[in-house]
Amino acid sequence: MPRPFLVRGRAVPLARYLAEEQIEGLVACSCIGNEVTIDLGDTRILVTLADVGGVVGLTFHMVQDGPAKARTWTRRLSSDTAPRELAASIARDVRTLERELAPLRRRPPEGTARRPAP
């Protein structure tokens, strides 16, 4: 007898479309429930999706194992936005973030003293 599978959450249908997006440096991506986690080489981005009053709210939270400070930002899209467009919007924000972080990876921000390795 086949076992039934229960799939819930707004993020689940995004997996297929996020896999088709060109995200530079992508190490891993998971779409579980109402959360998307995107892992880049030194950066983790958690995207929480919420349906509120005819709008899909995307809340991004980024942390980096480097000089960049953690940051949070939001996007709002119409609740009838298709999964393909939601995935494209998420990927666009991730690509923009990657461009912003690129100079920090090449050199630390001013005022950040790095200790030489022992």
Short mmCIF file of all heavy atoms in Angstrom, two decimals, residues 1 8 22-23 51 53 55-57 90-91 114:
data_model
loop_
_atom_site.label_atom_id
_atom_site.label_comp_id
_atom_site.label_asym_id
_atom_site.label_seq_id
_atom_site.Cartn_x
_atom_site.Cartn_y
_atom_site.Cartn_z
N MET A 1 0.84 -1.17 0.00
CA MET A 1 0.00 0.00 0.00
C MET A 1 0.89 1.24 0.00
O MET A 1 1.79 1.37 0.83
CB MET A 1 -0.89 -0.02 1.24
CG MET A 1 -1.72 1.19 1.40
SD MET A 1 -2.85 0.94 2.80
CE MET A 1 -3.74 2.41 2.68
N ARG A 8 3.26 20.56 3.00
CA ARG A 8 2.64 21.82 3.40
C ARG A 8 3.66 22.93 3.33
O ARG A 8 4.85 22.70 3.47
CB ARG A 8 2.13 21.74 4.83
CG ARG A 8 0.91 20.93 4.99
CD ARG A 8 0.38 21.12 6.39
NE ARG A 8 -0.67 20.16 6.63
CZ ARG A 8 -1.14 19.86 7.82
NH1 ARG A 8 -0.66 20.45 8.88
NH2 ARG A 8 -2.09 18.98 7.94
N GLN A 22 20.13 30.85 -11.60
CA GLN A 22 21.59 30.88 -11.58
C GLN A 22 22.05 31.70 -10.38
O GLN A 22 22.11 32.93 -10.44
CB GLN A 22 22.12 31.51 -12.88
CG GLN A 22 21.76 30.74 -14.12
CD GLN A 22 22.34 29.34 -14.11
OE1 GLN A 22 23.50 29.15 -13.72
NE2 GLN A 22 21.56 28.36 -14.51
N ILE A 23 22.35 31.02 -9.28
CA ILE A 23 22.84 31.68 -8.07
C ILE A 23 24.31 31.32 -7.91
O ILE A 23 24.65 30.17 -7.64
CB ILE A 23 22.03 31.27 -6.82
CG1 ILE A 23 20.55 31.68 -7.00
CG2 ILE A 23 22.62 31.90 -5.57
CD1 ILE A 23 19.64 31.21 -5.90
N ASP A 51 1.82 34.76 4.22
CA ASP A 51 0.66 35.32 3.52
C ASP A 51 -0.12 36.18 4.50
O ASP A 51 -0.63 35.69 5.50
CB ASP A 51 -0.26 34.20 3.00
CG ASP A 51 0.39 33.41 1.87
OD1 ASP A 51 0.86 34.05 0.93
OD2 ASP A 51 0.40 32.17 1.95
N GLY A 53 -3.01 39.36 4.34
CA GLY A 53 -3.85 40.34 3.68
C GLY A 53 -3.63 40.50 2.19
O GLY A 53 -3.49 41.61 1.71
N VAL A 55 -1.07 39.64 0.44
CA VAL A 55 0.33 39.91 0.12
C VAL A 55 1.18 38.75 0.62
O VAL A 55 0.92 38.20 1.68
CB VAL A 55 0.79 41.23 0.79
CG1 VAL A 55 2.27 41.45 0.62
CG2 VAL A 55 0.00 42.40 0.27
N VAL A 56 2.21 38.39 -0.16
CA VAL A 56 3.21 37.44 0.32
C VAL A 56 4.37 38.27 0.82
O VAL A 56 4.97 39.04 0.07
CB VAL A 56 3.70 36.50 -0.81
CG1 VAL A 56 4.81 35.60 -0.29
CG2 VAL A 56 2.57 35.67 -1.36
N GLY A 57 4.65 38.13 2.09
CA GLY A 57 5.80 38.83 2.66
C GLY A 57 7.01 37.92 2.65
O GLY A 57 6.94 36.79 3.11
N ILE A 90 13.45 35.92 -5.09
CA ILE A 90 14.41 35.51 -4.06
C ILE A 90 15.81 35.46 -4.67
O ILE A 90 16.77 35.99 -4.09
CB ILE A 90 14.02 34.15 -3.45
CG1 ILE A 90 12.75 34.30 -2.61
CG2 ILE A 90 15.16 33.56 -2.62
CD1 ILE A 90 12.12 32.99 -2.18
N ALA A 91 15.94 34.85 -5.83
CA ALA A 91 17.25 34.74 -6.49
C ALA A 91 17.82 36.11 -6.82
O ALA A 91 19.02 36.34 -6.67
CB ALA A 91 17.14 33.88 -7.75
N ARG A 114 42.83 42.83 11.63
CA ARG A 114 42.97 41.38 11.56
C ARG A 114 44.28 40.98 12.22
O ARG A 114 45.32 41.58 11.96
CB ARG A 114 42.99 40.89 10.10
CG ARG A 114 41.74 41.21 9.34
CD ARG A 114 40.83 40.05 9.46
NE ARG A 114 39.58 40.37 8.75
CZ ARG A 114 38.73 39.47 8.40
NH1 ARG A 114 38.95 38.22 8.65
NH2 ARG A 114 37.61 39.80 7.81
#
